[in-house]
Amino acid sequence: MKAEYINPFLESAIIVIEQVAQIRPAAGQLGIKDVKFVENYIWIQIGLNGQMTGDIVFGLSEEVAMKMISAMMGGYVISEIDEMGKSAISELGNMISGNASTMLYNQGVRVDITPPKVLHSAQAAGFKAQKALTIPLIMEGIGELDIQVLIAS
């Protein structure tokens, strides 16, 4: 697993979050971790096809997701993640992945992305325990968003 696979997603996430939430996230420590899907988390899964195949998964706690959705909606406070909230968080994943796929294309790597799936529980995710290249994004006043890249090839 190559670290350069995660860089376009990291760069893109920083740019997109800065645009939609008006905060500049800081990157945490890059590492390889076992993917563990825990309850009270929101998972945004986007499939990758082409020269890279696998999944990119953005994970954030429900509390962080609500703060993020609120920031994306101009500060409107939300107390639960309804369909509008799921749509907003899904679009965040889509924007990050779309930008990243353009960056990869510009580096000579052709990759297509699937529409995002928002998964609200560990069971719904349906992932088997596996290793992923992971980097947390720390968003001041909001919390952490984990970027996990599961690349098959």
Side-chain angles (χ1 to χ4, degrees):
M1 189 166 319
K2 298 179 184 168
E4 61 260 23
Y5 288 153
I6 203 167
N7 288 337
F9 294 95
L10 175 62
E11 258 180 75
S12 178
I14 290 169
I15 292 165
V16 169
I17 290 168
E18 200 167 12
Q19 288 172 347
V20 301
Q22 287 75 49
I23 53 161
R24 184 158 177 86
Q29 188 65 42
L30 175 69
I32 295 178
K33 293 186 197 170
D34 287 322
V35 176
K36 291 187 182 110
F37 291 91
V38 294
E39 296 305 322
N40 302 320
Y41 245 66
I42 303 289
W43 306 100
I44 309 160
Q45 175 194 5
I46 295 173
L48 304 170
N49 299 303
Q51 288 178 272
M52 281 171 54
T53 58
D55 290 295
I56 178 91
V57 180
F58 302 101
L60 58 171
S61 72
E62 288 179 8
E63 180 185 339
V64 171
M66 285 190 284
K67 288 179 183 176
M68 190 66 186
I69 294 162
S70 177
M72 290 173 73
M73 296 171 77
Y76 178 77
V77 179
I78 62 164
S79 57
E80 66 176 345
I81 300 170
D82 57 10
E83 288 307 309
M84 179 70 88
K86 283 183 186 174
S87 177
I89 212 75
S90 173
E91 186 53 29
L92 177 69
N94 200 38
M95 291 165 65
I96 292 169
S97 299
N99 267 3
S101 67
T102 300
M103 290 175 184
L104 286 163
Y105 178 83
N106 290 337
Q107 294 170 8
V109 179
R110 299 204 189 305
V111 65
D112 291 316
I113 60 172
T114 64
K117 283 188 214 166
V118 176
L119 309 163
H120 209 137
S121 74
Q123 286 77 28
F127 285 110
K128 294 168 184 64
Q130 56 184 309
K131 301 246 184 244
L133 197 54
T134 304
I135 191 160
L137 273 184
I138 298 107
M139 301 173 288
E140 192 174 324
I142 293 180
E144 278 189 24
L145 167 84
D146 284 328
I147 301 172
Q148 302 176 347
V149 180
L150 298 81
I151 302 295
S153 60

